[in-house]
Amino acid sequence: FDFDNVTRADASQIKNISWEEPVIITNVIPDDFFANRGILDKRRLASIHGEIEVRTGNRETLIDNGITNSRPMPLSEALSTTPPANNSVETENSGSCRGRIVFSPVKELPDKFANDLKPFTDCFPRCSAVAEEEEETPMTKFTLTLASGGFGIGMHKHKAAMFMLLVGRKKWYMASSDDLEGDDQTHPGFYREKSSHKCIQEEGEVLFVPNEWYHEIFNLEYTAGIQALPV
């Protein structure tokens, strides 16, 4: 990445984080838990949990503080890669990325699957930025996210959130709402000069995105992770 300016902070230093800008928190997941991330291997999921129904969407499904054009389907079908139309080559700059995203609330998953994810959801840090009061607030609303390589999620914003990446690598492009106020021509410029913060998130890292910050995501390979929000 030519431009990676998101601060990385060790979990032991979390009390020193201001939460005013995006930050990547490292060493959040104990080694013995992280070693179990293979439960989210793509082939394993399709084999063991392929018949369960999950929520899915395309690049335009995630919108400001909500979703649209989402449809349920079996997990095995959701994990299959949709090839580019007309054999075209797609990149994050094209604005038309292949595949789909799975974004199913953990509470809607079968108990066995949800329990397998609990060691990871229990690792999310508390922070004061997710509530108006200064007390530290726990993340309690968890969503399983799965996406194929080459899939991009369109620019959107929502409440402050954390994103734990367990498998794969993601590119992130972010900017505060104030920086983009009144600007309706955001693509593809958002990938270049209009996003103030950019990074590549690696396995085991937790990315914090502040309240109402716009962000786009491009998956460099198959990715699996968990989004966390306050209630």
Side-chain angles (χ1 to χ4, degrees):
F1 217 2
D2 293 335
F3 179 10
D4 188 331
N5 63 347
V6 175
T7 299
R8 280 174 164 79
D10 188 85
S12 64
Q13 302 298 315
I14 198 166
K15 295 291 187 180
N16 299 324
I17 296 175
S18 70
W19 307 111
E20 294 178 356
E21 294 184 347
V23 60
I24 289 177
I25 309 167
T26 60
N27 297 316
V28 169
I29 310 169
D31 290 343
D32 54 339
F33 290 174
F34 186 60
N36 197 39
R37 68 190 184 284
I39 63 172
L40 295 175
D41 174 79
K42 187 175 182 178
R43 290 183 179 179
R44 181 185 184 279
L45 286 176
S47 173
I48 297 177
H49 300 293
E51 295 183 358
I52 70 172
E53 188 174 84
V54 293
R55 301 191 193 187
T56 69
N58 57 29
R59 175 181 172 80
E60 306 303 330
T61 294
L62 300 186
I63 58 175
D64 291 356
N65 295 302
I67 60 175
T68 185
N69 297 326
S70 170
R71 72 185 185 95
M73 68 175 64
L75 179 58
S76 57
E77 180 182 349
L79 290 172
S80 64
T81 302
T82 303
N86 301 320
N87 297 317
S88 61
V89 176
E90 298 180 3
T91 68
E92 65 261 48
N93 291 317
S94 70
S96 177
C97 300
R98 68 185 182 179
R100 60 178 66 89
I101 184 176
V102 171
F103 55 101
S104 276
V106 171
K107 66 180 182 180
E108 295 180 3
L109 299 174
D111 289 344
K112 175 62 169 64
F113 196 176
N115 287 336
D116 286 345
L117 298 176
K118 192 174 187 301
F120 301 113
T121 59
D122 285 347
C123 289
F124 275 97
R126 293 169 174 255
C127 76
S128 59
V130 298
E132 293 182 0
E133 61 270 14
E134 294 185 359
E135 66 182 30
E136 292 182 344
T137 303
M139 295 292 193
T140 56
K141 183 179 179 181
F142 304 111
T143 302
L144 174 68
T145 64
L146 310 170
S148 55
F151 176 81
I153 299 173
M155 190 179 76
H156 63 288
K157 63 180 179 177
H158 46 66
K159 293 181 179 179
M162 291 185 179
F163 301 84
M164 176 185 289
L165 186 60
L166 295 167
V167 179
R169 301 166 73 233
K170 290 176 177 282
K171 281 185 177 182
W172 287 81
Y173 304 80
M174 297 165 281
S176 72
S177 297
D178 292 341
D179 291 343
L180 293 178
E181 185 175 2
D183 187 351
D184 59 358
Q185 299 296 321
T186 55
H187 199 284
F190 193 68
Y191 283 120
R192 300 191 295 261
E193 70 278 0
K194 293 182 180 180
S195 51
S196 59
H197 291 67
K198 304 178 179 70
C199 68
I200 291 180
Q201 185 182 15
E202 306 285 350
E203 291 181 347
E205 295 181 334
V206 174
L207 173 66
F208 170 75
V209 179
N211 188 54
E212 298 295 306
W213 271 57
Y214 283 106
H215 50 284
E216 286 205 24
I217 309 159
F218 185 80
N219 296 278
L220 296 169
E221 54 197 277
Y222 165 72
T223 62
I226 301 170
Q227 179 199 64
L229 290 159
V231 172

mmCIF file of all heavy atoms in Angstrom, residues 7-26:
data_model
loop_
_atom_site.group_PDB
_atom_site.id
_atom_site.type_symbol
_atom_site.label_atom_id
_atom_site.label_comp_id
_atom_site.label_asym_id
_atom_site.label_seq_id
_atom_site.Cartn_x
_atom_site.Cartn_y
_atom_site.Cartn_z
ATOM 1 N N THR A 7 -2.819 4.466 12.747
ATOM 2 C CA THR A 7 -2.007 4.118 13.904
ATOM 3 C C THR A 7 -2.330 2.711 14.384
ATOM 4 O O THR A 7 -3.496 2.297 14.413
ATOM 5 C CB THR A 7 -2.268 5.111 15.058
ATOM 6 O OG1 THR A 7 -1.908 6.422 14.634
ATOM 7 C CG2 THR A 7 -1.462 4.735 16.294
ATOM 8 N N ARG A 8 -1.287 1.969 14.754
ATOM 9 C CA ARG A 8 -1.461 0.655 15.374
ATOM 10 C C ARG A 8 -1.094 0.766 16.850
ATOM 11 O O ARG A 8 -0.048 1.310 17.190
ATOM 12 C CB ARG A 8 -0.609 -0.400 14.676
ATOM 13 C CG ARG A 8 -1.252 -0.916 13.378
ATOM 14 C CD ARG A 8 -0.342 -1.860 12.625
ATOM 15 N NE ARG A 8 -1.074 -2.615 11.624
ATOM 16 C CZ ARG A 8 -1.434 -2.151 10.431
ATOM 17 N NH1 ARG A 8 -1.109 -0.910 10.100
ATOM 18 N NH2 ARG A 8 -2.107 -2.911 9.573
ATOM 19 N N ALA A 9 -1.962 0.243 17.704
ATOM 20 C CA ALA A 9 -1.744 0.303 19.147
ATOM 21 C C ALA A 9 -1.910 -1.080 19.740
ATOM 22 O O ALA A 9 -2.856 -1.810 19.402
ATOM 23 C CB ALA A 9 -2.739 1.269 19.796
ATOM 24 N N ASP A 10 -0.989 -1.475 20.614
ATOM 25 C CA ASP A 10 -1.085 -2.760 21.279
ATOM 26 C C ASP A 10 -2.241 -2.736 22.279
ATOM 27 O O ASP A 10 -2.551 -1.696 22.870
ATOM 28 C CB ASP A 10 0.224 -3.065 22.007
ATOM 29 C CG ASP A 10 0.247 -4.478 22.565
ATOM 30 O OD1 ASP A 10 0.614 -5.399 21.813
ATOM 31 O OD2 ASP A 10 -0.113 -4.646 23.742
ATOM 32 N N ALA A 11 -2.876 -3.876 22.444
ATOM 33 C CA ALA A 11 -4.017 -3.960 23.365
ATOM 34 C C ALA A 11 -3.653 -3.520 24.782
ATOM 35 O O ALA A 11 -4.506 -3.018 25.522
ATOM 36 C CB ALA A 11 -4.573 -5.376 23.376
ATOM 37 N N SER A 12 -2.399 -3.683 25.146
ATOM 38 C CA SER A 12 -1.967 -3.276 26.489
ATOM 39 C C SER A 12 -1.974 -1.770 26.669
ATOM 40 O O SER A 12 -1.948 -1.269 27.798
ATOM 41 C CB SER A 12 -0.564 -3.822 26.775
ATOM 42 O OG SER A 12 0.387 -3.260 25.886
ATOM 43 N N GLN A 13 -2.035 -1.022 25.553
ATOM 44 C CA GLN A 13 -2.023 0.440 25.599
ATOM 45 C C GLN A 13 -3.393 1.041 25.304
ATOM 46 O O GLN A 13 -3.506 2.223 24.987
ATOM 47 C CB GLN A 13 -1.002 0.973 24.582
ATOM 48 C CG GLN A 13 0.413 0.469 24.780
ATOM 49 C CD GLN A 13 0.971 0.883 26.122
ATOM 50 O OE1 GLN A 13 0.827 2.044 26.530
ATOM 51 N NE2 GLN A 13 1.593 -0.044 26.835
ATOM 52 N N ILE A 14 -4.438 0.243 25.420
ATOM 53 C CA ILE A 14 -5.760 0.691 24.998
ATOM 54 C C ILE A 14 -6.254 1.901 25.792
ATOM 55 O O ILE A 14 -7.023 2.727 25.294
ATOM 56 C CB ILE A 14 -6.766 -0.470 25.080
ATOM 57 C CG1 ILE A 14 -8.007 -0.166 24.236
ATOM 58 C CG2 ILE A 14 -7.137 -0.789 26.523
ATOM 59 C CD1 ILE A 14 -8.880 -1.358 23.987
ATOM 60 N N LYS A 15 -5.813 2.056 27.033
ATOM 61 C CA LYS A 15 -6.227 3.203 27.850
ATOM 62 C C LYS A 15 -5.715 4.521 27.267
ATOM 63 O O LYS A 15 -6.241 5.591 27.601
ATOM 64 C CB LYS A 15 -5.705 3.047 29.266
ATOM 65 C CG LYS A 15 -6.295 1.873 30.042
ATOM 66 C CD LYS A 15 -7.757 2.106 30.372
ATOM 67 C CE LYS A 15 -8.288 1.009 31.284
ATOM 68 N NZ LYS A 15 -9.728 1.210 31.619
ATOM 69 N N ASN A 16 -4.702 4.447 26.411
ATOM 70 C CA ASN A 16 -4.112 5.659 25.847
ATOM 71 C C ASN A 16 -4.706 6.047 24.494
ATOM 72 O O ASN A 16 -4.311 7.056 23.914
ATOM 73 C CB ASN A 16 -2.596 5.475 25.696
ATOM 74 C CG ASN A 16 -1.912 5.212 27.020
ATOM 75 O OD1 ASN A 16 -2.307 5.758 28.046
ATOM 76 N ND2 ASN A 16 -0.877 4.377 27.006
ATOM 77 N N ILE A 17 -5.639 5.257 23.987
ATOM 78 C CA ILE A 17 -6.232 5.542 22.676
ATOM 79 C C ILE A 17 -7.270 6.652 22.809
ATOM 80 O O ILE A 17 -8.121 6.628 23.702
ATOM 81 C CB ILE A 17 -6.881 4.272 22.093
ATOM 82 C CG1 ILE A 17 -5.802 3.208 21.832
ATOM 83 C CG2 ILE A 17 -7.628 4.589 20.801
ATOM 84 C CD1 ILE A 17 -6.364 1.876 21.364
ATOM 85 N N SER A 18 -7.236 7.623 21.896
ATOM 86 C CA SER A 18 -8.169 8.754 21.967
ATOM 87 C C SER A 18 -9.522 8.429 21.344
ATOM 88 O O SER A 18 -10.522 9.075 21.646
ATOM 89 C CB SER A 18 -7.570 9.967 21.245
ATOM 90 O OG SER A 18 -7.533 9.749 19.848
ATOM 91 N N TRP A 19 -9.576 7.467 20.420
ATOM 92 C CA TRP A 19 -10.787 7.060 19.717
ATOM 93 C C TRP A 19 -11.346 8.146 18.807
ATOM 94 O O TRP A 19 -12.489 8.059 18.362
ATOM 95 C CB TRP A 19 -11.876 6.614 20.702
ATOM 96 C CG TRP A 19 -11.464 5.578 21.683
ATOM 97 C CD1 TRP A 19 -11.310 5.740 23.031
ATOM 98 C CD2 TRP A 19 -11.125 4.207 21.421
ATOM 99 N NE1 TRP A 19 -10.907 4.568 23.621
ATOM 100 C CE2 TRP A 19 -10.793 3.602 22.656
ATOM 101 C CE3 TRP A 19 -11.081 3.420 20.257
ATOM 102 C CZ2 TRP A 19 -10.418 2.269 22.769
ATOM 103 C CZ3 TRP A 19 -10.707 2.090 20.376
ATOM 104 C CH2 TRP A 19 -10.377 1.531 21.598
ATOM 105 N N GLU A 20 -10.568 9.157 18.499
ATOM 106 C CA GLU A 20 -11.051 10.241 17.634
ATOM 107 C C GLU A 20 -10.790 9.953 16.155
ATOM 108 O O GLU A 20 -11.397 10.577 15.279
ATOM 109 C CB GLU A 20 -10.385 11.558 18.027
ATOM 110 C CG GLU A 20 -10.786 12.039 19.423
ATOM 111 C CD GLU A 20 -10.075 13.319 19.817
ATOM 112 O OE1 GLU A 20 -9.220 13.777 19.031
ATOM 113 O OE2 GLU A 20 -10.379 13.860 20.891
ATOM 114 N N GLU A 21 -9.883 9.047 15.871
ATOM 115 C CA GLU A 21 -9.545 8.664 14.502
ATOM 116 C C GLU A 21 -9.496 7.141 14.423
ATOM 117 O O GLU A 21 -9.455 6.458 15.456
ATOM 118 C CB GLU A 21 -8.186 9.254 14.093
ATOM 119 C CG GLU A 21 -8.167 10.761 14.009
ATOM 120 C CD GLU A 21 -6.815 11.265 13.504
ATOM 121 O OE1 GLU A 21 -5.852 10.451 13.475
ATOM 122 O OE2 GLU A 21 -6.726 12.448 13.153
ATOM 123 N N PRO A 22 -9.496 6.597 13.203
ATOM 124 C CA PRO A 22 -9.351 5.140 13.094
ATOM 125 C C PRO A 22 -8.059 4.664 13.755
ATOM 126 O O PRO A 22 -7.045 5.356 13.737
ATOM 127 C CB PRO A 22 -9.303 4.912 11.579
ATOM 128 C CG PRO A 22 -10.031 6.088 10.989
ATOM 129 C CD PRO A 22 -9.680 7.242 11.882
ATOM 130 N N VAL A 23 -8.114 3.491 14.344
ATOM 131 C CA VAL A 23 -6.935 2.901 14.972
ATOM 132 C C VAL A 23 -7.032 1.387 14.842
ATOM 133 O O VAL A 23 -8.124 0.807 14.923
ATOM 134 C CB VAL A 23 -6.815 3.326 16.461
ATOM 135 C CG1 VAL A 23 -8.024 2.878 17.261
ATOM 136 C CG2 VAL A 23 -5.528 2.793 17.075
ATOM 137 N N ILE A 24 -5.897 0.742 14.609
ATOM 138 C CA ILE A 24 -5.827 -0.712 14.582
ATOM 139 C C ILE A 24 -5.248 -1.187 15.906
ATOM 140 O O ILE A 24 -4.188 -0.724 16.325
ATOM 141 C CB ILE A 24 -4.962 -1.212 13.409
ATOM 142 C CG1 ILE A 24 -5.696 -0.988 12.091
ATOM 143 C CG2 ILE A 24 -4.629 -2.694 13.577
ATOM 144 C CD1 ILE A 24 -4.886 -1.374 10.870
ATOM 145 N N ILE A 25 -5.962 -2.092 16.565
ATOM 146 C CA ILE A 25 -5.535 -2.621 17.853
ATOM 147 C C ILE A 25 -4.972 -4.026 17.629
ATOM 148 O O ILE A 25 -5.635 -4.883 17.023
ATOM 149 C CB ILE A 25 -6.706 -2.665 18.850
ATOM 150 C CG1 ILE A 25 -7.393 -1.301 18.906
ATOM 151 C CG2 ILE A 25 -6.213 -3.058 20.236
ATOM 152 C CD1 ILE A 25 -8.728 -1.320 19.613
ATOM 153 N N THR A 26 -3.761 -4.254 18.073
ATOM 154 C CA THR A 26 -3.094 -5.535 17.885
ATOM 155 C C THR A 26 -3.048 -6.320 19.191
ATOM 156 O O THR A 26 -3.235 -5.767 20.277
ATOM 157 C CB THR A 26 -1.670 -5.321 17.348
ATOM 158 O OG1 THR A 26 -0.932 -4.533 18.304
ATOM 159 C CG2 THR A 26 -1.697 -4.576 16.017
#
